[in-house]
Amino acid sequence: MAPERESTPRERAVSGATAAGRPRGARLDQPRPPRRRLLPEWDPEAFGRLSERIARFLGTGRFIVWMTVVIIVWVLWNVSVPGSLRFDEYPFIFLTLALSLQASYAAPLILLAQNRQDDRDRVNLEQDRKQNERSIADTEYLTREIAALRIGLGEVATRDWIRSELQDLIREMEERQDGHRRGDGVFPADRSGGRDVHDR
């Protein structure tokens, strides 16, 4: 029996015409693995919804009442309690820092909520504009159809017109019958006293 020939790594690597020169693991039928990023990732929609909730709360009277209560309690605590229990002395630097931090976060959150609301308003206005265009097109179509119906009805005999025509025919027939009774014909042949030459 002949010994089996071992394949070299070069022969194993080249298995097809398209396999040559392609780096290992770069297959077109499989998705790439996700890249690792140094920065944390977040869902923009979830962050936007959270910012809108915060902005809505900041724009209510409840927030103003609670913030006023907290500031009054803060100031009264740091003025009236003994010095060992005070955590913020008279210039209230820590309170100023807290309020500045709250304002520095509130302004961008409110702007973000306003931008999202502007985007929604823009989409709604675009949909309203398209709806108005469809309504105008439908109205113009109905106007053209009504005009066509009016033109068509102008050529159709109405009840009053038919009644007047029938009354005229009845009057004419009565006049003919009265003329026959008197003996004078209504028709030109009767007036001439004989048949017309062209009636043959």
Side-chain angles (χ1 to χ4, degrees):
M1 207 167 182
E4 293 183 9
R5 195 182 95 176
E6 294 184 10
S7 59
T8 62
R10 170 125 176 102
E11 291 174 354
R12 264 186 267 138
V14 181
S15 59
T18 59
R22 187 176 350 132
R24 188 178 174 99
R27 297 188 53 170
L28 296 177
D29 59 343
Q30 294 179 354
R32 287 185 174 180
R35 297 179 184 174
R36 292 184 181 178
R37 296 184 179 178
L38 299 176
L39 298 175
E41 295 183 9
W42 64 87
D43 184 14
E45 283 298 316
F47 187 72
R49 287 192 296 268
L50 178 65
S51 68
E52 284 180 344
R53 286 182 193 151
I54 294 172
R56 284 195 195 100
F57 177 68
L58 291 176
T60 59
R62 183 186 301 171
F63 170 73
I64 295 172
V65 169
W66 278 109
M67 189 172 72
T68 305
V69 168
V70 167
I71 290 172
I72 290 171
V73 169
W74 188 299
V75 171
L76 288 177
W77 179 272
N78 288 304
V79 169
S80 61
V81 298
S84 61
L85 296 175
R86 295 178 188 173
F87 56 89
D88 194 12
E89 291 294 330
Y90 164 66
F92 306 121
I93 296 173
F94 187 49
L95 177 63
T96 307
L97 178 64
L99 291 176
S100 300
L101 187 64
Q102 180 262 332
S104 66
Y105 273 97
L109 288 174
I110 291 171
L111 287 174
L112 180 60
Q114 285 180 349
N115 289 338
R116 286 172 59 86
Q117 185 63 40
D118 289 342
D119 293 340
R120 277 196 297 270
D121 291 342
R122 191 177 301 113
V123 170
N124 290 335
L125 286 173
E126 184 68 23
Q127 290 177 351
D128 290 343
R129 188 182 64 80
K130 289 180 180 177
Q131 183 66 33
N132 289 338
E133 287 179 356
R134 284 195 294 268
S135 299
I136 290 170
D138 292 342
T139 305
E140 289 177 354
Y141 172 75
L142 290 174
T143 306
R144 287 193 299 269
E145 288 296 316
I146 290 172
L149 286 173
R150 284 182 178 173
I151 292 171
L153 283 176
E155 299 171 359
V156 173
T158 60
R159 185 176 59 185
D160 295 335
W161 182 80
I162 291 175
R163 184 178 295 154
S164 66
E165 288 293 320
L166 286 174
Q167 288 174 353
D168 290 344
L169 284 174
I170 290 171
R171 196 177 302 116
E172 186 178 343
M173 289 174 64
E174 288 175 352
E175 289 175 358
R176 284 182 185 175
Q177 285 179 354
D178 291 342
H180 281 297
R181 285 181 194 148
R182 285 193 306 254
D184 54 342
V186 179
F187 297 106
D190 295 337
R191 290 197 198 108
S192 62
R195 293 180 65 188
D196 195 16
V197 181
H198 299 291
D199 288 343
R200 292 176 188 171

